[in-house]
Amino acid sequence: MSPTMTGILFIGSLVVALILTHRPLGDHMYRVYTATRHLAVERVIYRLIGVRPDTEQRWSVYARSVLAFSAISILFLYGMQRLQDKLFLSLGMPPVTDHVAWNTAVSFVTNTNWQSYSGESTMGHLVQMAGLAVQNFVSAAVGMAVAIALVRGFARRTTDELGNFWVDLVRGSVRILLPIAFVGAVVLVAGGLIQNFSAPHDVATLTGGTQAITGGPVASQEIIKELGNNGGGFYNVNSAHPFENATGWTNWVEIFAILMLPFALPRTFGRMVGDRRQGYAIAAVMATLALISVAVLTGLELAHGGTVPQAAGAAMEGKDVRFGVANSATFAAATTLTSTGAVDSFHDSYTALGGMITMFNMMLGEVAPGGVGAGLYGMLVLAVITVFVAGLMVGRTPEYLGKKIGAREIKLASMYFLVTPVLVLTGTAFAMGSSEQRASMLNSGPHGFSEVLYAFTSASNNNGSAFGGLTVNTLWYDTALGLCMALGRFLPIVFVLALAGSLARQSPVPASAGTLPTHRPQFVGMVVGVTLILVGLTFLPALALGPLAEGIN
């Protein structure tokens, strides 16, 4: 079977699986976030943290709760790393250095999971399990909670209340992420992933030397890093390591885990606003952008331009022969279209234009389907901008789901989308303008610029994947990228919650003959166009200096 046909079957099976799970999973999440009863285990948690679960919060209180929980999480994870040598199951690992511990703590709490270290030689089992893996759960649950709060802003009328952050956080973790992750971990263990507390074993290599192979609770961390769109990896080579991704079918399972929750959340949105067609429209926008990205990226990597790729039959550099080009390109597209950041191939070795697509996916704002929760609220903000643009074109006050989009709403939506470009372009400019930071680049010219641009794009969008070829384990890069992760996560969340509060206070506006239908293919096309144009106008000059220049040459 040709590589092209293999790729079509692989992608097609993923599409079918996502369609089959869209409705039941979306309906389950709708029931989770609208239920009036609390589980016994949830009531215990509420008592332990001193929360009254039946009390709702205004947007400002909801936002302060998110920020307070995240700040405490950063301090806790930082402390665990700095005290690692005194902890159980440390495997003799020394304390993590201060700037790496800061970068890692911010990275995992912000759902970025950027790693400037090698996991198997830096972190002990307890830090991996009780520190990093726990944040994989709760950081994803925070994203879902914020998305649900925005949906409530559209669904509710004349109220200041958006729900209770602590209830949304606990329910997302206990009722959604934990059960699916448990089943997924069992599946991955059956597929060959390891799950143990083993210390490093010395094994003989083919060249007559020895190598220390670290075991660990890998499967349980692997599934939640994909399911929660976290990324990172137990091992330095991430999901290309056979202990993290053993076979072609576990590769399929991991990609499916990356996409299943973000693609199901639009169904939850449609149910909560009382119009399932609105959910289908948002899902259609996500699917359109995702299919375009996967098709273009796979095509570019299969085109095998150049003497060596033509001899190999495709651009195989940096790709595992277990997976091949199509499966690797699909993983790369999925991980950058979401905020996952896990990789099963080396993006730095992709063709110039193929590498640009992975970068462009993140620059879109990771909305197709985006991170768990973050993709939905990003797409809804884009929908708000789209109806505003459409209103300007016909001279009417824009409306979306019965809510007027006025000056306050569009200012909040604009600030939401300005955060990431400012961080990406400013950080890249500082790095390229400093001779000391340029010394961290292993490549020069357009490709070296692409590596720096990719790093700041990944950090500011809370993705976590890396182009490679850039030494980022330095005080400056750890600090700068950590700041980009924090600002790129929490500023947009504050703007989203402020937008939700503004919408929730409004009275419903009855639809009229001039109201733009937001459930039809016309609106889907408009949102796709606005998304591509916004990104194109913002990042095209930077892309022209990097991957476009390299691709043309």
Side-chain angles (χ1 to χ4, degrees):
M1 187 179 295
S2 69
T4 301
M5 183 56 64
T6 300
I8 292 173
L9 292 175
F10 186 84
I11 296 168
S13 63
L14 278 170
V15 171
V16 171
L18 291 170
I19 291 173
L20 292 176
T21 56
H22 172 81
R23 179 171 179 171
L25 186 54
D27 288 346
H28 171 64
M29 289 190 284
Y30 165 74
R31 291 189 293 270
V32 166
Y33 289 110
T34 58
T36 57
R37 299 183 62 182
H38 309 292
L39 301 180
V41 65
E42 294 171 349
R43 290 195 294 270
V44 172
I45 295 173
Y46 299 144
R47 283 197 295 269
L48 289 175
I49 61 178
V51 169
R52 291 182 294 175
D54 296 318
T55 302
E56 295 211 351
Q57 300 171 323
R58 299 188 303 274
W59 82 262
S60 56
V61 180
Y62 202 103
R64 287 200 298 270
S65 299
V66 172
L67 297 177
F69 175 75
S70 300
I72 292 172
S73 297
I74 290 173
L75 292 174
F76 179 80
L77 187 52
Y78 178 86
M80 283 194 71
Q81 295 175 82
R82 297 291 288 152
L83 298 172
Q84 175 173 242
D85 59 324
K86 298 176 177 59
L87 299 177
F88 180 60
L89 291 175
S90 66
L91 305 182
M93 301 285 186
V96 180
T97 59
D98 53 359
H99 57 89
V100 174
W102 142 261
N103 184 277
T104 304
V106 173
S107 176
F108 277 77
V109 172
T110 59
N111 200 241
T112 309
N113 294 45
W114 171 274
Q115 293 173 292
S116 60
Y117 61 89
S118 298
E120 67 267 43
S121 61
T122 306
M123 303 291 183
H125 291 338
L126 188 65
V127 174
Q128 292 269 25
M129 289 187 304
L132 306 185
V134 167
Q135 288 304 317
N136 284 351
F137 281 95
V138 295
S139 65
V142 167
M144 290 193 292
V146 173
I148 294 301
L150 179 58
V151 175
R152 292 190 185 117
F154 283 110
R156 294 184 174 183
R157 305 290 186 260
T158 61
T159 180
D160 285 333
E161 298 176 338
L162 294 176
N164 188 307
F165 165 71
W166 306 104
V167 172
D168 294 337
L169 173 70
V170 171
R171 287 185 176 184
S173 301
V174 172
R175 301 193 195 186
I176 299 173
L177 296 173
L178 273 169
I180 300 175
F182 179 82
V183 174
V186 173
V187 171
L188 291 181
V189 169
L193 275 68
I194 65 171
Q195 183 75 14
N196 56 49
F197 296 109
S198 173
H201 291 279
D202 290 329
V203 297
T205 66
L206 294 176
T207 59
T210 60
Q211 181 179 352
I213 303 296
T214 305
V218 177
S220 58
Q221 186 163 324
E222 188 72 18
I223 185 61
I224 188 56
K225 88 171 190 183
E226 313 294 17
L227 180 66
N229 293 165
N230 298 282
F234 201 96
Y235 298 96
N236 188 41
V237 293
N238 211 282
S239 295
H241 197 289
F243 287 176
E244 286 198 35
N245 194 359
T247 64
W249 73 262
T250 61
N251 193 58
W252 186 97
V253 169
E254 292 186 16
I255 298 174
F256 176 66
I258 290 172
L259 298 172
M260 61 186 298
L261 289 178
F263 267 124
L265 274 167
R267 170 78 179 186
T268 307
F269 159 68
R271 291 289 307 273
M272 290 184 69
V273 298
D275 188 349
R276 298 174 187 178
R277 299 174 302 174
Q278 302 294 337
Y280 291 138
I282 294 298
V285 176
M286 292 176 171
T288 300
L289 292 169
L291 288 173
I292 291 173
S293 173
V294 171
V296 172
L297 180 55
T298 304
L300 288 170
E301 296 306 298
L302 286 172
H304 48 79
T307 304
V308 175
Q310 287 177 359
M316 278 298 297
E317 181 186 349
K319 300 178 181 66
D320 197 308
V321 294
R322 292 175 299 156
F323 309 135
V325 171
N327 297 14
S328 300
T330 304
F331 198 115
T335 200
T336 51
L337 284 167
T338 62
S339 62
T340 308
V343 295
D344 71 351
S345 55
F346 201 46
H347 293 183
D348 195 39
S349 295
Y350 275 44
T351 61
L353 296 181
M356 183 187 71
I357 297 300
T358 64
M359 209 179 306
F360 191 77
N361 288 341
M362 294 184 289
M363 291 173 175
L364 283 175
E366 295 171 334
V367 292
V372 174
L376 178 60
Y377 64 68
M379 183 55 72
L380 291 178
V381 174
L382 273 169
V384 167
I385 294 175
T386 301
V387 296
F388 178 77
V389 172
L392 292 178
M393 293 172 65
V394 298
R396 285 184 54 86
T397 302
E399 304 163 8
Y400 186 51
L401 301 179
K403 300 296 180 74
K404 284 189 176 183
I405 307 302
R408 175 179 172 81
E409 288 75 26
I410 199 63
K411 286 176 183 177
L412 290 169
S414 300
M415 287 189 290
Y416 173 93
F417 272 99
L418 284 174
V419 169
T420 300
V422 168
L423 293 174
V424 171
L425 299 178
T426 302
T428 303
F430 273 110
M432 295 303 298
S434 168
S435 58
E436 183 178 355
Q437 309 318 319
R438 289 199 302 273
S440 295
M441 299 165 51
L442 299 181
N443 294 283
S444 59
H447 194 76
F449 177 82
S450 295
E451 291 169 348
V452 176
L453 180 63
Y454 192 105
F456 280 97
T457 301
S458 177
S460 302
N461 282 282
N462 301 131
N463 183 272
S465 64
F467 223 41
L470 179 69
T471 303
V472 294
N473 191 7
T474 65
L475 175 61
W476 189 88
Y477 267 110
D478 279 334
T479 304
L481 293 174
L483 289 172
C484 286
M485 293 177 217
L487 295 174
R489 172 73 164 181
F490 298 120
L491 284 179
I493 281 178
V494 171
F495 295 140
V496 164
L497 292 173
L499 176 62
S502 179
L503 294 169
R505 286 192 296 269
Q506 292 187 27
S507 299
V509 179
S512 65
T515 301
L516 174 68
T518 55
H519 59 275
R520 296 177 180 172
Q522 177 194 34
F523 183 72
V524 171
M526 291 176 64
V527 178
V528 170
V530 167
T531 304
L532 295 174
I533 291 170
L534 276 178
V535 174
L537 292 177
T538 304
F539 289 106
L540 182 59
L543 293 172
L545 294 174
L548 274 175
E550 183 183 5
I552 292 173
N553 289 334

